[in-house]
């Protein structure tokens, strides 16, 4: 009864529009009262939820990404992508996808990606004669790439929700191949849709222009190498790499690019602080929810339930993906990771699924929910930028959504795709 009460109250509060963090806290408090447990547990677990040292990396990575976004890096990355793939059919759509791969390595956030790249590319595509729905759909689905490349905030959240013990360096490495596959799949889809609609191509600026744009963008791309190589080689921890990333971002945008003025810097601080506050509040309240799940032995019950009728690793993984896709339609990615990891990770371990591989599947499945109504935050941002309704976007987004779903299945069914690179780097 207590388990049902916990989930029913949480679901009802979400459906009536209560913010996720408050819904988590209210559902947990009601369940504590029902179980006649001391309510001080709520305060203790909220405090403990943000006490993990590895979480310090999240606000620092958010701050570094905001600095790079406002300091001129996004324009340079888009210019580089344009010179590389603009000649393809539906050139600006291809530019949007490749720019998301580049910028995702700087921001680590799908929302920051669609705000920066989509905010630039969607108006340009509309101005060049592309349909608004195409401009929005290609931009919002391209933002899924940012979930997989380092420094993905969501992979850091996954390690925290898993209770520690997982290598952030391995998770970062595991996301690279799926990110490249997602980029290729979305670019192919964009090409096919653009060809059917008769979109044109961009003029090739020449190899000299490509080289100049590459040189201009290299300092921004260097942030990705700094973070990944530094953690992988053990030069610094994830938290230390996040602090170094902030210093590096400031040096690039202030000293080299000279575009981050005092006003933009203050706006960056405010925006990063707001984003950090929202994320950490969700983490804090989700920790109470997770504590109750463990107290009520929900993970063990989930293992027993699935073992009662699912006897293969593949069947269990597919059922978990289905649940994650359904939950992603009304839950944002951060709370989804924090709530579902304690439930499904023990199930995955029981069936011999590698936790690194499972983390990629969980983040990617939840990320597809970001472009799915009714609570797809990336979908709403993209449609707002493109000035179309969610319904208009949903009518034609299915080729891009299907491409993302196929990539998810490939990553799930072939664990070697995500585990190969970490294994090579450990050797």
């Amino acid at each position: 009864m207590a388990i049902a009460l916990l989930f029913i109250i949480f679901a009802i509060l979400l459906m009536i529009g209560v913010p996720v963090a408050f819904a988590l806290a209210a559902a947990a408090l009601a369940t504590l009262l029902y179980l006649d447990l001391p309510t001080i547990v709520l305060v203790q677990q909220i405090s403990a939820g943000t006490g993990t040292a590895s979480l310090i990396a999240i606000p620092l990575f958010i701050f570094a990404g905001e600095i790079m976004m406002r300091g001129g890096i996004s324009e340079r990355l888009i210019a580089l992508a344009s010179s590389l793939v603009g000649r393809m059919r539906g050139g600006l759509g291809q530019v949007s996808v490749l720019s998301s791969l580049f910028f995702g390595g700087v921001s680590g956030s799908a929302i920051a990606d669609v705000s920066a790249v989509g905010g630039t590319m969607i108006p340009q595509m509309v101005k060049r004669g592309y349909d608004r729905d195409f401009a929005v759909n290609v931009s919002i689905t391209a933002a899924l790439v940012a979930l997989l490349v380092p420094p993905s905030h969501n992979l850091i959240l996954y390690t925290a929700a898993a209770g520690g013990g997982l290598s952030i360096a391995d998770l970062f490495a595991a996301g690279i191949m799926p990110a490249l596959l997602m980029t290729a799949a979305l670019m192919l889809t964009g090409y096919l849709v653009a060809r059917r609609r008769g979109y044109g191509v961009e003029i090739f600026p020449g190899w000299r222009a490509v080289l100049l744009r590459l040189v201009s963008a290299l300092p921004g791309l260097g942030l990705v190498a700094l973070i990944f190589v530094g953690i992988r080689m053990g030069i610094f921890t994830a938290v230390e790499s996040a602090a170094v990333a902030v210093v590096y971002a400031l040096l690039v945008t202030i000293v080299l690019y000279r575009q981050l003025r005092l006003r933009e810097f203050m706006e960056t601080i405010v925006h990063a602080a707001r984003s950090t506050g929202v994320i950490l509040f969700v983490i804090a309240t989700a920790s109470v929810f997770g504590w109750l799940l463990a107290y009520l032995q929900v993970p063990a019950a989930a293992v027993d339930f699935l073992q009662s009728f699912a006897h293969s690793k593949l069947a269990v993984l597919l059922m978990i993906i289905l649940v994650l896709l359904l939950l992603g339609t009304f839950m944002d990615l951060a709370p989804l990771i924090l709530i579902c990891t304690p439930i499904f990770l023990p199930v995955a371990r029981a069936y011999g699924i590698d936790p690194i591989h499972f983390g990629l599947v969980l983040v990617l499945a939840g990320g597809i929910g970001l472009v799915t109504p009714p609570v797809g935050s990336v979908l709403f941002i993209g449609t707002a930028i493109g000035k179309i309704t969610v319904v208009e976007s949903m009518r034609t987004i299915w080729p891009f959504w299907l491409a993302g779903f196929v990539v998810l299945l490939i990553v799930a069914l072939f664990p070697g795709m995500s585990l190969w690179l970490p294994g090579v780097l450990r050797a």
Side-chain angles (χ1 to χ4, degrees):
M1 179 62 185
I3 296 174
L5 180 68
L6 179 67
F7 284 102
I8 289 173
I9 292 177
F10 177 60
I12 291 174
L13 291 176
L14 282 183
M15 286 188 290
I16 63 176
V18 176
V20 172
F22 292 103
L24 288 167
L29 179 59
T31 307
L32 288 172
L33 294 172
Y34 174 80
L35 295 171
D36 199 25
L37 293 173
T39 53
I40 190 64
V41 171
L42 181 73
V43 179
Q44 291 172 338
Q45 292 302 316
I46 284 178
S47 176
T50 53
T52 306
S54 61
L55 293 179
I56 299 174
I58 294 177
L60 291 174
F61 277 135
I62 290 174
F63 190 33
E66 291 285 340
I67 292 170
M68 299 298 275
M69 183 172 67
R70 287 174 166 78
I73 184 61
S74 59
E75 293 89 340
R76 287 169 171 81
L77 293 177
I78 291 172
L80 173 61
S82 178
S83 64
L84 292 174
V85 297
R87 291 176 293 172
M88 297 176 63
R89 178 70 64 179
L92 289 183
Q94 310 296 343
V95 171
S96 182
V97 176
L98 191 59
S99 298
S100 293
L101 174 65
F102 292 157
F103 190 77
V106 174
S107 69
S109 166
I111 292 178
D113 185 281
V114 75
S115 299
V117 178
T120 301
M121 293 304 304
I122 292 174
Q124 282 192 29
M125 281 190 273
V126 172
K127 186 177 180 180
R128 301 281 187 91
Y130 290 76
D131 297 314
R132 289 183 181 272
D133 62 328
F134 175 85
V136 169
N137 292 339
V138 72
S139 297
I140 62 177
T141 51
L144 296 176
V145 178
L147 303 175
L148 303 173
V149 291
S152 171
H153 309 153
N154 298 289
L155 293 177
I156 298 174
L157 277 182
Y158 172 70
T159 62
L166 297 181
S167 168
I168 293 179
D170 283 349
L171 275 167
F172 281 176
I176 292 176
M177 293 302 294
L180 294 175
L181 178 62
M182 179 69 78
T183 302
L186 292 175
M187 290 182 70
L188 176 61
T189 305
Y191 171 83
L192 295 175
V193 174
R195 183 176 180 180
R196 181 167 57 85
R197 296 192 181 190
Y199 297 146
V201 298
E202 299 297 304
I203 299 174
F204 181 58
W207 288 110
R208 183 175 182 276
V210 173
L211 181 60
L212 290 174
R213 293 176 184 182
L214 175 61
V215 171
S216 179
L218 273 178
L221 293 173
L223 179 64
V224 185
L226 178 70
I227 294 169
F228 182 71
V229 175
I231 297 176
R232 183 74 263 175
M233 295 183 64
I235 299 173
F236 36 64
T237 66
V239 175
E240 291 168 346
S241 74
V244 171
V246 172
V247 175
Y248 180 87
L250 287 172
L251 290 175
V252 169
T253 55
I254 295 177
V255 178
L256 186 60
Y257 290 164
R258 298 182 180 180
Q259 287 189 228
L260 191 66
R261 302 287 184 256
L262 180 61
R263 180 179 177 181
E264 287 81 8
F265 180 66
M266 297 306 296
E267 291 175 353
T268 298
I269 294 175
V270 172
H271 196 273
R274 287 175 178 170
S275 300
T276 300
V278 171
I279 292 174
L280 292 183
F281 188 34
V282 171
I283 293 172
T285 53
S287 68
V288 190
F289 202 92
W291 182 89
L292 277 170
L293 292 177
Y295 180 84
L296 296 170
Q297 298 184 334
V298 172
V303 173
D304 293 338
F305 174 73
L306 288 174
Q307 285 180 336
S308 65
F309 63 89
H311 304 290
S312 71
K313 179 193 303 185
L314 177 60
V316 169
L317 193 56
L318 291 177
M319 283 190 292
I320 292 175
I321 288 174
L322 178 61
V323 173
L324 292 173
L325 289 173
L326 292 174
L327 291 176
T329 62
F330 64 88
M331 190 182 298
D332 209 352
L333 184 54
L336 180 70
I337 293 171
L338 293 167
I339 293 171
C340 292
T341 299
I343 298 175
F344 292 126
L345 183 57
V347 177
R349 290 182 187 273
Y351 279 86
I353 300 171
D354 188 281
I356 300 294
H357 172 230
F358 180 75
L360 268 294
V361 173
L362 187 152
V363 169
L364 186 52
I368 291 177
L370 295 176
V371 297
T372 308
V375 192
S377 54
V378 172
L379 172 65
F380 288 136
I381 292 173
T383 52
I385 294 172
K387 298 178 181 178
I388 63 172
T389 65
V390 171
V391 174
E392 289 174 310
S393 174
M394 288 297 98
R395 287 172 183 163
T396 54
I397 198 175
W398 65 266
F400 298 97
W401 193 95
L402 185 61
F405 180 70
V406 169
V407 172
L408 169 62
L409 289 181
I410 293 173
V411 172
L413 298 179
F414 300 96
M417 171 166 289
S418 53
L419 298 179
W420 171 76
L421 187 55
V424 169
L425 295 175
R426 283 197 301 267

